[in-house]
Amino acid sequence: MTGALANLLTIITFLPLLGGLVVLAVPDGKLGRSIAFWCSVVVFLISLLLLGQFDTASTAAFQLESNIPWVESLGISYHIGVDGVSLLLVFLTTFLMPIVIASASQTITFRQKEFAVAALVLETAMLGALIALDMVLFYVFWELMLVPMFLIVGIWGSENRIYAAVKFFIYTMVGSLLMLIAIIYMYWLTGEQGGTRSFDYAAMLALRMAPEVQMWLFAAFALAFAVKVPMFPLHTWLPDAHVQAPAPGSVVLAGVMLKMGTYGFYRFAFPLFPQATFEFRWLIALLAVIGIVYGSLMCMAQRDMKKLIAYSSVAHLGFVMLGLVAFTTAGVTGAVYQMLNHGISTGALFLLVGMIYARQHTRLISDYGGIAKVIPAFAAVWLIVTLSSIGLPGTNGFVGEFLILSGTFWSKLPGGPWWGAVAATGVILGAVYMLWMYQRVYHGEVKREENRHIQDLTVREWLILAPLVALIFVMGLFPSPFLDLARPSVERFVGLMERTSPQLAGDLPASATPVVAQPVRLPMRPGQQRLEILPRARPLQPGNNLLPQGVRPVVPTQP
């Protein structure tokens, strides 16, 4: 059974690549895009089978593992597996890719076959990076992501697509090369400490490193991941890439690829170098909060809808990074949930911008106004996604932001309440810039005559957007299934950081601890049970007898 499950994980990862090879052999572009779409749908359906096989009660760090020697002489293996966090991101990836490929019918008008191949190869690379437990395997998938994304921006992008594609490639490549050097050094250390050199994640997790060595290695990993998030001030490639990329490229970039950076911190940078993490923690928190406020203020200054949404990603992912470095169960759980939320909400916003751009060929906010009267369905969907993005209760965005802020306020992060308070201003600013954009685009008087004849959402567009809108409400109203899936992995991660520094990580004890000086005897009559409340210097918890701990029944004797 274990082998079958591991093979299922492998099938999910490499089936898109196999589909890409099939598409290459097809002469017709539209047929190739159809094959790619149905291939991605099959991958999504197969990925749902993993949900039934994943055991949230398991104490194992990873499940569905497969470890096969690849280059045995160098200690490289095909080692894959998932925990609750990576499994959720796998679901996000397989869910978004059919939507990305389906939306390409409007925006990708030439070389459709090549685009379909690039999208499928990109899906394999992203899935591989999420399940890899060998550092070389992870690095191969990590670098492979760059190639199809570079082509998507550079070939199917807008006027300055070459500039944006090259800038994206250089930024991410430089950080990745430094990470590769660090991986090679850690590989050498495994031989020095264990006798057998290995690139396996578990072997590197067991390394004993001096604090100064951890500092340098952490810096190399953190730079690679911070560029991909992206964190301030390494974010400058993102607005250019988003603005120049076609709408499907922006969806996959915001929906999944940016999460590779936050996932990298969670999976590799923090656990591998815990001591260095606490040394740099204040800097990460500072840059996260700056990113939240700076990204929000930059949104308010934008005239291009797509660039506004791009800068909103800087702010939203600042929340994710702040939740991660809180090192509390609530904070990290909220960060994981916000990764999913951002993929859904921001992906939907980029789709909507792409759809309206395909009609009017302009993204300038000033070129619109009053069009809610012309395209009411479009306006309604846009409003729902906007409210999700700003975290309205009942939508997915509220759950993630609430957990992050509460987990930061009640954390051992030095100055946690202050970090949380400043970050909370990002929620207010987010409502300002998103609702302001919506008001300027959809309300008021129609400014341009050509805007009176915009076509409303088509049936095809409804089918593309409906899954995203549905998930916004499902995740907002019923978050427990998603949170329960991530919780064991999050608790394990927080526990690891807490063992490194109990004073700086882990959940705070209950702030209000009831302490009773003397037993309190409640009034009674002969023959009745009396509840005697005993003094306890700890929070009241349910007991096995369904009474609070510290409360016991006492049956009196007759007077």
Side-chain angles (χ1 to χ4, degrees), residues 23 32-42 97-99 101-102 116 120:
V23 172
R33 191 183 65 228
S34 298
I35 294 173
F37 170 75
W38 288 110
C39 176
S40 63
V41 170
V42 170
M97 287 311 295
I99 295 174
I101 295 173
L120 291 174

Side-chain angles (χ1 to χ4, degrees), residues 203-480:
M204 293 191 174
L205 199 62
L207 286 175
R208 302 178 302 277
M209 291 176 281
E212 58 272 15
V213 174
Q214 282 199 29
M215 299 276 279
W216 286 105
L217 296 176
F218 175 83
F221 273 75
L223 180 63
F225 299 141
V227 169
K228 190 63 69 76
V229 171
M231 295 185 68
F232 176 91
L234 303 173
H235 66 284
T236 58
W237 64 268
L238 181 66
D240 292 321
H242 269 312
V243 169
Q244 299 302 321
S250 293
V251 173
V252 72
L253 179 60
V256 183
M257 282 195 69
L258 302 187
K259 313 307 177 301
M260 296 299 169
T262 52
Y263 174 77
F265 276 105
Y266 162 83
R267 172 68 68 231
F268 300 105
F270 294 158
L272 289 175
F273 317 108
Q275 293 177 335
T277 296
F278 286 107
E279 292 294 328
F280 285 106
R281 186 189 191 186
W282 68 271
L283 179 60
I284 296 174
L286 176 63
L287 295 179
V289 170
I290 290 176
I292 292 170
V293 178
Y294 168 83
S296 300
L297 293 176
M298 287 298 294
C299 286
M300 297 174 67
Q302 300 309 310
R303 293 181 289 180
D304 185 309
M305 288 186 285
K306 207 173 186 185
K307 185 170 274 191
L308 186 152
I309 299 169
Y311 274 109
S312 74
S313 292
V314 178
H316 289 157
L317 291 166
F319 276 105
V320 173
M321 290 304 303
L322 184 62
L324 286 178
V325 297
F327 297 139
T328 59
T329 303
V332 178
T333 302
V336 173
Y337 208 68
Q338 196 66 4
M339 292 186 211
L340 306 179
N341 296 338
H342 180 261
I344 300 299
S345 302
T346 306
L349 284 172
F350 278 121
L351 282 175
L352 289 166
V353 171
M355 291 173 182
I356 202 167
Y357 179 79
R359 290 161 166 78
Q360 300 302 99
H361 305 289
T362 178
R363 295 187 299 264
L364 294 178
I365 297 174
S366 59
D367 287 340
Y368 295 93
I371 60 174
K373 305 168 186 175
V374 182
I375 46 174
F378 215 115
V381 174
W382 195 304
L383 180 60
I384 291 171
V385 179
T386 295
L387 296 176
S388 165
S389 182
I390 65 179
L392 183 76
T395 64
N396 56 343
F398 172 77
V399 180
E401 289 183 353
F402 177 81
L403 288 173
I404 289 170
L405 291 176
S406 61
T408 302
F409 270 103
W410 286 283
S411 71
K412 299 175 184 177
L413 172 65
W418 292 104
W419 296 121
V422 177
T425 63
V427 178
I428 301 171
L429 294 174
V432 171
Y433 66 73
M434 290 301 297
L435 292 176
W436 190 27
M437 177 182 67
Y438 184 83
Q439 183 268 331
R440 288 181 290 169
V441 171
Y442 286 98
H443 292 284
E445 297 298 324
V446 178
K447 298 178 182 179
R448 303 173 64 189
E449 189 61 30
E450 54 267 34
N451 289 343
R452 298 183 184 276
H453 308 289
I454 305 176
Q455 183 184 16
D456 210 342
L457 290 175
T458 64
V459 174
R460 182 186 185 90
E461 290 168 338
W462 270 113
L463 293 175
I464 291 172
L465 293 169
L468 295 169
V469 174
L471 205 54
I472 284 172
F473 289 111
V474 169
M475 294 179 67
L477 298 173
F478 308 101
S480 292

Side-chain angles (χ1 to χ4, degrees), residues 66-81:
S66 178
N67 194 347
I68 303 171
W70 184 14
V71 186
E72 195 167 2
S73 59
L74 296 178
I76 304 173
S77 62
Y78 176 73
H79 188 187
I80 59 173

